[in-house]
Amino acid sequence: GEDVEQSLFLSVREGDSSVINCTYTDSSSTYLYWYKQEPGAGLQLLTYIFSNMDMKQDQRLTVLLNKKDKHLSLRIADTQTGDSAIYFCAESRSTGNNRKLIWGLGTSLAVNP
Amino acid sequence: GAGVSQSPSNKVTEKGKDVELRCDPISGHTALYWYRQSLGQGLEFLIYFQGNSAPDKSGLPSDRFSAERTGGSVSTLTIQRTQQEDSAVYLCASSSAGNQPQHFGDGTRLSIL
């Protein structure tokens, strides 16, 4: 996962917006993903964006993709304490005849009341 | 069930023993992945099965680790002669194809005494 980079920590106040950033390396990546992991649980798919899109919105979540800079961001509006978790970015990368996901190390989001 | 199922959810064993971890993927998913997540760390890719192709074993950390996928469905990850550094959460995921979203189980928490 060393080629997908994320900041490790983010702290916000409840009600504010959170923006989690990610940079990736493979310009041929077809899909880019955001996953959420709560303590003691597996990873939950939050949202994903196809590489021919610039933006995707899903309720409180907005994903922005800048292909030129290979930069992906996840914005969470009106952040709640229940949003406290680790957020992983992943890119779909070609490996020979297959594609697999390359993962960032995760951003730990702390929401303060 | 409808999701990825892993068993056992927790396993405590003595150093030097062998362990087997099981993963039941979502029915019909051709791709299956094993990851390891150490405390506070990101995802470490272990092995990837795609249909009838030879598995991608490039992430297995040593020859003590092996995995099988029988009949294109259930997978077993085996760790022989366990060491304390093997203590981690082992996560399994499946997807309908190599570049499609991965769906995760809740993991097996392995503790080596």
Side-chain angles (χ1 to χ4, degrees):
Chain A
E2 66 273 14
D3 292 341
V4 176
E5 295 186 352
Q6 304 177 236
S7 53
L8 294 182
F9 301 100
L10 177 64
S11 180
V12 300
R13 288 189 305 182
E14 189 174 17
D16 288 351
S17 291
S18 307
V19 180
I20 303 172
N21 295 302
C22 170
T23 57
Y24 61 98
T25 59
D26 187 357
S27 59
S28 67
S29 291
T30 53
Y31 289 94
L32 296 122
Y33 300 88
W34 285 104
Y35 282 80
K36 176 184 181 182
Q37 186 179 32
E38 296 181 3
L43 274 72
Q44 171 197 356
L45 177 65
L46 270 185
T47 186
Y48 61 97
I49 188 167
F50 192 55
S51 58
N52 67 353
M53 298 169 65
D54 298 323
M55 185 182 82
K56 180 179 180 180
Q57 187 152 3
D58 182 2
Q59 299 182 333
R60 293 191 297 122
L61 305 178
T62 302
V63 179
L64 294 177
L65 176 61
N66 180 331
K67 284 195 70 177
K68 174 177 173 290
D69 295 337
K70 299 190 186 67
H71 183 266
L72 181 74
S73 68
L74 174 69
R75 178 177 181 269
I76 306 172
D78 187 26
T79 313
Q80 303 297 306
T81 55
D83 295 324
S84 294
I86 301 174
Y87 291 81
F88 290 92
C89 165
E91 64 165 329
S92 172
R93 184 181 294 179
S94 176
T95 57
N97 293 325
N98 294 318
R99 279 190 171 266
K100 64 182 182 183
L101 295 191
I102 307 300
W103 297 84
L105 293 179
T107 299
S108 180
L109 174 64
V111 182
N112 305 306
Chain B
V4 176
S5 177
Q6 291 188 247
S7 61
S9 54
N10 287 283
K11 176 74 175 177
V12 180
T13 193
E14 292 179 346
K15 176 182 170 182
K17 301 285 190 184
D18 297 350
V19 295
E20 283 190 354
L21 312 179
R22 178 187 168 104
C23 174
D24 280 278
I26 293 173
S27 178
H29 278 191
T30 59
L32 186 147
Y33 309 79
W34 283 99
Y35 295 92
R36 178 168 70 176
Q37 188 176 33
S38 300
L39 186 64
Q41 300 297 308
L43 293 173
E44 177 187 4
F45 165 77
L46 296 178
I47 188 168
Y48 162 40
F49 296 90
Q50 173 61 61
N52 295 321
S53 301
D56 177 353
K57 304 180 181 180
S58 60
L60 294 178
S62 77
D63 59 7
R64 296 187 295 107
F65 288 72
S66 63
E68 290 184 342
R69 189 178 185 193
T70 54
S73 181
V74 171
S75 177
T76 302
L77 176 69
T78 301
I79 309 173
Q80 296 177 309
R81 304 181 303 281
T82 51
Q83 303 295 313
Q84 287 187 331
E85 61 262 28
D86 299 334
S87 295
V89 176
Y90 289 81
L91 292 164
C92 176
S94 71
S95 66
S96 58
N99 66 345
Q100 294 300 305
Q102 295 180 18
H103 299 267
F104 282 79
D106 286 336
T108 294
R109 185 173 300 276
L110 177 64
S111 300
I112 309 300
L113 302 179

